[in-house]
Amino acid sequence: MLSVTIDTAVFAPPAVGSGEDEVHSFVAALLEWRDAMTDGRLDVYTSVHAPEILGNSDLYPIRPRLKELLRQAAVFEYDANTVAVLAETILNRSAKIEDVLGISDVLVDDITINPDCFASHDPASLRDAAQRCAAVISLAGRYINEPSLRCHAIAIRATDVGSAVRVRGIILEIAHTRDDLAGLPIAPAYFEASTLVCSSFHRLLMTLDEEGILRWAKTGMHVATAIKVGLYKKFASSGDLLPWENLPAFEIGHEFLASLQTHHVGAGSGLAERLFRAILETICRENLGATHALRKGGGGNDPQRMRGKDAAWRRDVDHEYHLHYWECANGAVELAVVVVHNDFSIPG
């Protein structure tokens, strides 16, 4: 569910004569997204126009420029062919964001990007391509009801960047195959929308709004993604950064999403924030004073409810709501259901 669209400028080699640090940054960005795409951490998209824009800017194919660039910058750990294959692998294997969104093109006048992370793109064709891509993605994020877009960012070649950018402009023309874009403001009206940008997988995760993803969740995968992002940020903020694949194990029960919808967790009541805190504490085995064994009967000495070797538990979210979950024999937590105060049920 996590995804990025790689800015076309990421594939453009620095100018011949650039320093060693700039060359390393160029290669590091390509390696970052190739590795994330290969190991399945996220989906990687590029623009369908990227090869044409790079070619017209005399930046593709990149082998001739790379050979001289690496020599002049005294970078010997990479050769031109290896780096070229790296870029070509991403361009050839990635899905195209225009196809995924069903928005093939947009012509925007008087566009502004704030902060303008594309201002230094050279030549101008790379800047124009980046602005167009930002317009497409930000429009989709605002006008298409798709939770996955809340886990998406434009990947740029920068140092330790993760933020939201505001996009404003006048839509002169838009070509799309969707049936849910009727509300788009067309010239002479301005549109305003936003999109995330990031420079690495880490910065993508640190920039995402995990509680917002939970509110908009339509599937169990959306819920799981929100929780994993929250876990990652929790450990990172405490100085104990864990790799994405090494986060604590948890599972989403088959009725958990339905219980979120039943109790309107997506509404702006603050329940999402309180529930999210309870979920993270449950998975991390924290604040155990707020947990109680879920028993077979109403007596304090009644046996705990079991599912084979899995034990049923109840955690207080607030005075009204509670989280029921299974402590599984395999060490994972299974989030079963959110209930009101007098409900002691738990799906098996």
Side-chain angles (χ1 to χ4, degrees), residues 190-229:
Y190 280 85
F191 78 89
E192 290 193 21
S194 65
T195 184
L196 299 178
V197 297
C198 66
S199 56
S200 67
F201 183 70
H202 169 72
R203 293 312 312 174
L204 168 66
L205 297 176
M206 296 302 293
T207 306
L208 292 175
D209 175 10
E210 62 272 26
E211 292 169 0
I213 299 169
L214 182 68
R215 289 192 198 94
W216 283 76
K218 291 183 178 180
T219 68
M221 181 180 292
H222 294 154
V223 175
T225 298
I227 294 171
K228 285 199 71 172
V229 171

Side-chain angles (χ1 to χ4, degrees), residues 5-122:
T5 295
I6 301 182
D7 178 18
T8 300
V10 170
F11 299 99
V16 173
S18 298
E20 180 181 355
D21 289 346
E22 191 171 355
V23 175
H24 279 138
S25 176
F26 165 66
V27 178
L30 296 176
L31 286 169
E32 172 84 13
W33 302 119
R34 192 280 309 273
D35 290 347
M37 177 174 64
T38 300
D39 63 27
R41 278 177 282 161
L42 80 173
D43 294 326
V44 171
Y45 306 127
T46 54
S47 172
V48 69
H49 305 292
E52 178 185 4
I53 292 166
L54 291 168
N56 291 341
S57 303
D58 198 26
L59 295 169
Y60 195 78
I62 63 177
R63 282 175 176 80
R65 174 177 293 202
L66 277 174
K67 186 174 182 180
E68 183 63 15
L69 172 65
L70 296 173
R71 185 190 68 79
Q72 287 198 3
V75 174
F76 303 112
E77 60 265 46
Y78 306 111
D79 62 83
N81 188 63
T82 299
V83 178
V85 169
L86 182 59
E88 291 161 359
T89 296
I90 300 173
L91 282 168
N92 293 333
R93 288 179 51 191
S94 58
K96 307 310 169 189
I97 189 62
E98 294 87 353
D99 297 338
V100 171
L101 296 179
I103 303 175
S104 57
D105 209 354
V106 63
L107 180 60
V108 180
D109 191 27
D110 197 22
I111 189 169
T112 57
I113 311 286
N114 184 30
D116 192 352
C117 54
F118 311 126
S120 62
H121 283 18
D122 186 44

